[in-house]
Amino acid sequence: MKILVINAGSSSLKYQLIDMENESVLAKGLCERIGIDGHLKHSPLVGGKPVFDEDLAMPTHSEAIAAVIDKLTSAEYGVVADMKEIDAVGHRVVHGGEKFASSVKIDDAVMQALEECTPFAPLHNPANITGINACRKVMGDVPMVAVFDTAFHQTMPGKAFMYAIPYEYYKNDGIRRYGFHGTSHRYVSSRCAELMGKPIEELKIISCHMGNGSSIAAIDGGKCVDTSMGFTPLVGLPMGTRCGDLDNGVVQFIMNKYGLSIDEMLNVLNKKSGVLGVSGVSSDFRDLDNAAAEGNERAQLALDMFHYWVGKVVGSYVAAMNGVDAIIFTAGVGENSKSSRAAIAEYFGYLGVEIDPEANSKRGEDIMISTPESKVKVFVIPTNEELVIARDTKEICC
Ligand code: ADP
């Protein structure tokens, strides 16, 4: 059985074709500049076929999907003989609101419900919906599944997801903490339980997804009980360019003083803040590491702030769960930056965490980076959201 996994953005579309017999990726690729001019990079990973990396007209997502199917099935770049070999499609959808606590088979009623979730993710959900519609148009009645970034967090109790504002805003408008990166937190926490050789029901796990966007989740017995992102992905930790937690009074002060509209203000908070805003150097942690090593104090401050926040949020989740068995690092920074992991682990001393520097210097594999004696285990687990989407799609469709 072969499953196509699609992650559609407003002008881009990432895909992987996964063979579920052995969960291997047959091909992957990225359509970019959809609606502008169009570019496709398609990489077959089996059969010794060449990479296709060229401009290709893509006025809409439909042409993008058609180009993907064309390449997947072509004699020169293809990995399957015919579109009929693609048994199902799994789509990443950012926001499922309170309607979706798990993945779901797509039909007209689901499409309607997705539209209703759009006000919660006005930039992301329309792109995801466009991707699904384009796929349905091009692929006909191939079964499709929606997998939500928010779904895993739906198990949070009211005390964790409610904001302390008038209750009517929750009741009438759905204003609450939803959380994001759920597919990643779900994957790494279940993999962590496997690595520990224990049922996830018996474990308290804190998962730190640290990439361009970062969030932390507290997972008790396999269920998410708290997470650091909220109604939007803007809050929690300071991120590459997003501010994270911020006193709302600051927003009013800056808007009044500099005459900014709310959209201009949100642009500052989403795109010009975080470690980029503090350092003035970059949103990329590699650049920050280099600048800090050369003595750039603001780059060091941005890194210190990020590490401190991860340590602080992890500490709050130890309290929330009344203990912790394992802490996981994942995503771009979590998987690659040994210096960030070591700096963050300095905040775990009270938990009896001991990091093994040799294990911490390895890359690209699931690995325990704490010593065997460490009271709380610390893991690096490369995330694999596409595999979760493919597994859910298989389970629901086949
Ligand atoms: P996204 O949130 O966009 O999925 P990723 O999880 O791919 O992001 O993370 C991207 C970030 O990972 C980059 O901005 C960079 O800061 C960081 N990163 C990647 N490689 C390294 C590295 N070797 N050292 C430090 N940071 C890294």
Side-chain angles (χ1 to χ4, degrees), residues 71-129:
K71 288 292 161 285
L72 285 171
T73 55
S74 84
E76 195 175 356
Y77 304 100
V79 291
V80 289
D82 194 273
M83 194 173 86
K84 290 198 193 77
E85 283 186 48
I86 301 173
D87 297 284
V89 182
H91 292 272
R92 178 197 179 207
V93 178
V94 168
H95 218 302
E98 285 191 331
K99 287 187 182 20
F100 298 107
S102 57
S103 304
V104 65
K105 188 165 180 187
I106 295 172
D107 59 18
D108 291 340
V110 167
M111 291 309 289
Q112 176 63 34
L114 294 186
E115 296 280 358
E116 286 160 22
C117 294
T118 290
F120 296 137
L123 294 180
H124 293 101
N125 269 33
N128 303 149
I129 291 169

Side-chain angles (χ1 to χ4, degrees), residues 283-350:
S283 62
D284 192 307
F285 279 66
R286 287 164 287 201
D287 298 337
L288 295 177
D289 282 340
N290 291 337
E294 286 164 11
N296 185 314
E297 286 177 14
R298 275 172 54 188
Q300 188 61 55
L301 174 63
L303 287 168
D304 290 347
M305 284 173 68
F306 180 78
H307 301 149
Y308 173 70
W309 265 92
V310 176
K312 186 163 97 165
V313 173
V314 167
S316 71
Y317 289 169
V318 176
M321 293 194 290
N322 205 359
V324 62
D325 299 298
I327 298 168
I328 308 164
F329 292 116
T330 192
V333 181
E335 290 166 29
N336 294 303
S337 177
K338 63 179 176 186
S339 59
S340 280
R341 292 193 298 258
I344 292 165
E346 295 281 315
Y347 293 100
F348 301 160
Y350 69 101

Side-chain angles (χ1 to χ4, degrees), residues 353-356 359 368-374 376-379:
V353 164
E354 287 173 27
I355 297 293
D356 172 353
M368 187 170 86
I369 60 167
S370 51
T371 63
E373 295 75 37
S374 183
V376 173
K377 308 300 178 207
V378 182
F379 293 87

